Amino acid sequence: MTHLPLPLTLTRLDLLALVLLAVAWFGVARVIEHPPARLPSVSVLMTTYRRDWMRQLVARDSRIFDGNILTSLREGTSFFASACMIAIGGGLALIGNTDPLAGIARDLDAGEIPEMLWRLKILLVLLFVANAFLKFVWAHRLFGYCAIMMAAVPNDPDLPETEPRAMAAAQVNIQAARNFNIGLRAVYFALGAIGWLAGAWGLMLGTVVVTSITLRREFASGSRRAIVADLGRRD
């Protein structure tokens, strides 16, 4: 394989795999968040339920149920944020000592790979994990804002500020969920980027697998069919 005149001895196949990863990352985000009108994603469909949740909130005398739901959402974001912090720490430790990876490569007869290239491959994974961490932390904070806004929604539906305040809480909830979903996608793509440790073909395979799984869950899953069927009955 011919190497490009780069200090990290990246091959053209490596660069092609990185381009494929970048296109998949931005393309998947675009398709999920701005899908065709005739084929909405699960993420888009769930915004309807989040707004309906806030409408139902107004009519409930006791909001303990709503508070429990929001607590579970915050616990989920907190769990993933903590897991990302552990992963970042492990990745940074591995960057400081790439000998274990080099040993595995020798055992697999993969040849000698420069230490800086190992670090670049690990750094790619860490970039996705760091992005996921930031998104989870922000989603956690937005769910906190949403909790405060929900508490400020009056129980009296006849008050002029009730519905606008409930819809504002719904919008913050939607933004929190959007950041949480981006964080999850970043975790998926971090797993796909690990394939680069096995070479450019490994990165390409990881990218294709992760992209396929993500799109299937958003556009061809059983949960989506159930949601569409429910919304169809309402229409």
Side-chain angles (χ1 to χ4, degrees), residues 24-111:
W25 168 252
F26 290 106
V28 166
R30 175 69 183 179
V31 171
I32 290 176
E33 295 177 15
H34 304 282
R38 60 180 179 80
L39 188 65
S41 63
V42 171
S43 297
V44 171
L45 291 172
M46 286 302 296
T47 60
T48 300
Y49 287 97
R50 294 180 187 278
R51 292 190 177 95
D52 286 348
W53 174 15
M54 296 305 152
R55 292 189 181 97
Q56 294 297 323
L57 171 78
V58 175
R60 269 195 282 269
D61 292 330
S62 175
R63 297 178 178 178
I64 296 176
F65 175 72
D66 306 284
N68 289 339
I69 295 176
L70 204 57
T71 297
S72 68
L73 292 175
R74 297 195 75 191
E75 287 176 349
T77 58
S78 179
F79 169 79
F80 280 107
S82 299
C84 287
M85 287 187 67
I86 296 172
I88 290 172
L92 291 175
L94 194 56
I95 286 179
N97 180 21
T98 59
D99 291 340
L101 293 177
I104 294 174
R106 285 192 294 269
D107 292 340
L108 296 176
D109 196 25

Side-chain angles (χ1 to χ4, degrees), residues 107-170:
D107 292 340
L108 296 176
D109 196 25
E112 291 294 330
I113 299 177
E115 183 177 349
M116 187 58 68
L117 185 54
W118 280 122
R119 291 175 176 172
L120 178 63
K121 293 181 178 184
I122 299 170
L123 182 60
L124 176 65
V125 177
L126 288 182
L127 286 175
F128 281 111
V129 176
N131 182 53
F133 171 75
L134 294 174
K135 293 298 181 181
F136 289 137
V137 169
W138 184 234
H140 187 271
R141 190 167 185 177
L142 286 176
F143 280 130
Y145 292 159
C146 181
I148 295 172
M149 296 176 72
M150 288 167 60
V153 175
N155 281 107
D156 187 354
D158 296 328
L159 292 177
E161 67 269 24
T162 299
E163 184 175 356
R165 190 166 288 177
M167 290 301 96

